[in-house]
Amino acid sequence: MNNPYYVLGYDIGGTKVAICLAVCNELNEDGALIPARIIASKRIPGGSKQGPDTAVPQMKEAGAELLKENGVEIKDLRAVGVCAPGPLDVLSGEMLVSPNMPLWDRVPIVKELENYFEVPVKFENDANGAVLAEYLFGTARGKKNAVYLTMSTGVGAGVIVNGQLVTGHSGQAGELGHNILDINGPQCGCGMYGCFEAFCGGKSFEDRAKAAARADENHPLRSIEVIDGDIDKLCVRVIRDAAIAGHEEAKKWWDEFCMRLAQGIGIAMMTFNPEIVVLGTIAIHSQELLLNPVREYLPRFAWKEMRNDCEIEPSILGTKIGELAGVAVALYTD
Ligand SMILES: [Zn+2]
């Protein structure tokens, strides 16, 4: 006899909180076990920007509503998972204040939700949630050694080794985005210089391109046709497309992006010997335009013994990954 049960997943983002209800442990028509199936989701607009006094009560209410609307009794709820942008105090279950979360100073989100739902509440940063989502539902399914890089505004990273999420002594491990690739490199949002994210985070890449173009009225990036002289339109996609079309300066920028991404992936390969590296947003939009040059550069950064065994793939979960991350955190047991 199998007993289906339910989990709720929360993904706290800068502009919204996504909540997702999943049923777990069902059998399909052939009697095979389905680990988890998403049955409903909701979004609360506002997210972390509006502060905990407003957001936390809304999160409780919306979770309870989602259960009610789907006929789920609270006794059938087994666990809740919460993902949020770091830094977090995972051990105490508290959100910490940061430039992205200025109002969330030591907010005991785990205790708040545990008291409300009376089930275990698990808590991870969003990149760790994302690697768990890839591992349970996505491109890394069935692979016990996986690295996930968000490749969006920043380079968030999550690592699974031998089927276990790598968390480290105080829950901070796996910050591959802040490995230093060049001590003389550009300053990162974290304050250090030459981080992987300073080269390959979408925001940092775009900020650097815009600053370079602004500093020189004859800068060749200004001549990219599609921006029509508007430096604010320089972005990863525009520079990539101009590079592919043969724009010489754009080619230099895109080539550096691909080389630094290969360097970052090479470090991950040499450190963790993964069987798959899954890449988020920019890779989902760029596919082989990004992956081919990265694969060409990789022999400079990782042994063939590591490369031969390791796929590099864009995420198939796409924008759904946030919702699934909360559910994955709820389901994951170490
Ligand atoms: Zn950094």
Side-chain angles (χ1 to χ4, degrees), residues 178 188 190 195:
H178 302 279
C188 180
C190 78
C195 293

Side-chain angles (χ1 to χ4, degrees), residues 117-133:
F117 289 110
E118 299 182 328
V119 295
V121 175
K122 295 177 194 166
F123 188 42
E124 275 300 339
N125 74 50
D126 43 13
N128 282 351
V131 77
L132 289 172

